[in-house]
Amino acid sequence: MATPSLPAAVPATHPAVVITGPRQPLQLLSRPTVPPKDGEALIHVTWTASTPLDLHRADGGLAIGTPPFIMGSSFGGTVVALGGHPGHLSVGDKVVGFVQDGAPDEAGFQTYITLPTWKVSKVPANLTLPEAVTVPCNLVTAFHTITEDLGLELPWPVPKEWAPPRAQERILVWGAASSVGMYVLQVLKHWGYRNVLAVASGKHHELLKELGAKECFDYRNENVVAEILRYLANVEESGSAGRPKVPFFVDCIGSKEGTLRPLSKIAEAGSKVAVMLPVINVHASEGQAPEYEMDVSKVLPGDWAEGVQLRGTRTFFYAKNEFFRDHLQPEIVPALLEQGVVQPNKHRVVEGNTVLERAENALKLLRNQAVSGERLVWRIAEAED
Ligand SMILES: NC(=O)c1ccc[n+]([C@@H]2O[C@H](COP(=O)([O-])OP(=O)(O)OC[C@H]3O[C@@H](n4cnc5c(N)ncnc54)[C@H](OP(=O)(O)O)[C@@H]3O)[C@@H](O)[C@H]2O)c1
């Protein structure tokens, strides 16, 4: 087989945004551009999305190993070269994807990435790249959480006339206006789960009902737990005797005081609670380093009812499910977007004169908790390709 080579127009090296240490300014690193091998694609990255994970890495040093750590768990761009067996992709396709940040060749905050084609979704014609780049990371998270952590079914293709066996069981999504939450609601709605309760700021409730919530509660109301417990006491039992009123919870935030403590007052024996890791014991701020916990069983021990099943969600392992590895990003994500079943998060374009400035400005917004019901997106390559 011929040794893979780069197309003539592609530079041999390119810049990448890296973390050099916790709470240190981000830096640019020049990296070699890697030609795609069999089953791989080379992508010119023009857009990316910033997520709280970037803050966990940059301020908290969460799992950054020995820096420099190459940032970016999403990318949006154009396929510029393909190795053998390109599968669903062609050169020139507009694409997005969820990748492993820190992996040198595939992390999203660099202008060229080389990665397996199963991590790539073609963007349907009805969406722009800045819209579509809000999707992959947390739509994949939604699938992984619902199937792996809650154990609920999401068959694909959705069988005709399909109704899930547990369609009427309650699923409480705390932090439903987060990016994760909005994709969780939309996936549950499409697959026929009809008894979904959402907890988010009141200003998002109308949208969240459109996305699939049956009832909404406002976590900014200090009596929210009492309100939810009252609601649950008044509604008819949906499960069989002895089952918890809410068998399933998704904690989309993973904040020790902000979400886990209230949830510990609602979950009952038999409830499954999927928590987005890391648990945030202390949120990052300008003057304060964050503190995290990766073992959910160590958070508020003794406060949960006996028999509550806590699960720490880890989406980077989603490809252990071979069906999702082969179908989720190549096929399911583009189909749901094209059919309008899933709408992308609202996006805010983060400006800055350089790629480093944009990366830092996005981190600042995350640090200041200034992100609400939206995803931060920004340009990686300066010029449109
Ligand atoms: N381990 C994994 O597999 C995995 C995967 C994906 C994400 N995550 C983690 O999950 C977390 C959320 O990620 P994201 O991208 O969805 O974040 P995001 O969209 O940036 O989250 C912002 C939203 O959080 C909501 N929020 C903050 N505190 C809240 C509280 N106490 N109760 C309810 N809502 C609250 C706000 O809601 P309002 O606007 O209503 O105020 C805001 O809209 C992050 O820590 C991320 O790292 C983990």
Side-chain angles (χ1 to χ4, degrees), residues 52-53 56 138 141 174-175 177-180 200-201 204 219-220 252-253 258-259 276-277 280 313-315 371-373 375:
L53 179 60
H56 307 331
N138 286 336
T141 297
W174 194 297
S178 68
S179 171
V180 171
S201 294
H204 301 303
Y219 75 93
R220 292 175 188 268
C252 303
I253 309 299
T259 61
M276 294 303 128
L277 293 178
I280 302 164
T313 294
R314 290 170 175 260
T315 304
V371 178
S372 174
R375 180 99 302 192

Side-chain angles (χ1 to χ4, degrees), residues 245-302:
K245 289 204 176 68
V246 183
F248 304 104
F249 292 82
V250 183
D251 176 352
C252 303
I253 309 299
S255 159
K256 179 182 168 193
E257 293 302 328
T259 61
L260 285 160
R261 191 170 298 280
L263 288 175
S264 72
K265 297 177 181 154
I266 305 170
E268 300 169 278
S271 297
K272 281 189 185 172
V273 184
V275 179
M276 294 303 128
L277 293 178
V279 174
I280 302 164
N281 287 339
V282 178
H283 198 280
S285 63
E286 295 296 340
Q288 166 78 57
E291 289 170 23
Y292 302 117
E293 173 58 63
M294 288 302 282
D295 182 349
V296 73
S297 71
K298 290 190 179 151
V299 185
L300 304 174

Side-chain angles (χ1 to χ4, degrees), residues 101-155:
D101 60 342
D105 299 337
E106 66 183 51
F109 292 7
Q110 54 187 334
T111 45
Y112 286 91
I113 59 173
T114 307
L115 76 175
T117 55
W118 59 263
K119 298 188 182 183
V120 184
S121 298
K122 264 169 83 163
V123 176
N126 55 330
L127 295 179
T128 64
L129 274 178
E131 288 169 333
V133 81
T134 69
V135 175
C137 174
N138 286 336
L139 186 50
V140 172
T141 297
F143 276 93
H144 177 72
T145 308
I146 294 166
T147 56
E148 174 68 18
D149 295 321
L150 300 186
L152 294 172
E153 292 178 61
L154 299 175

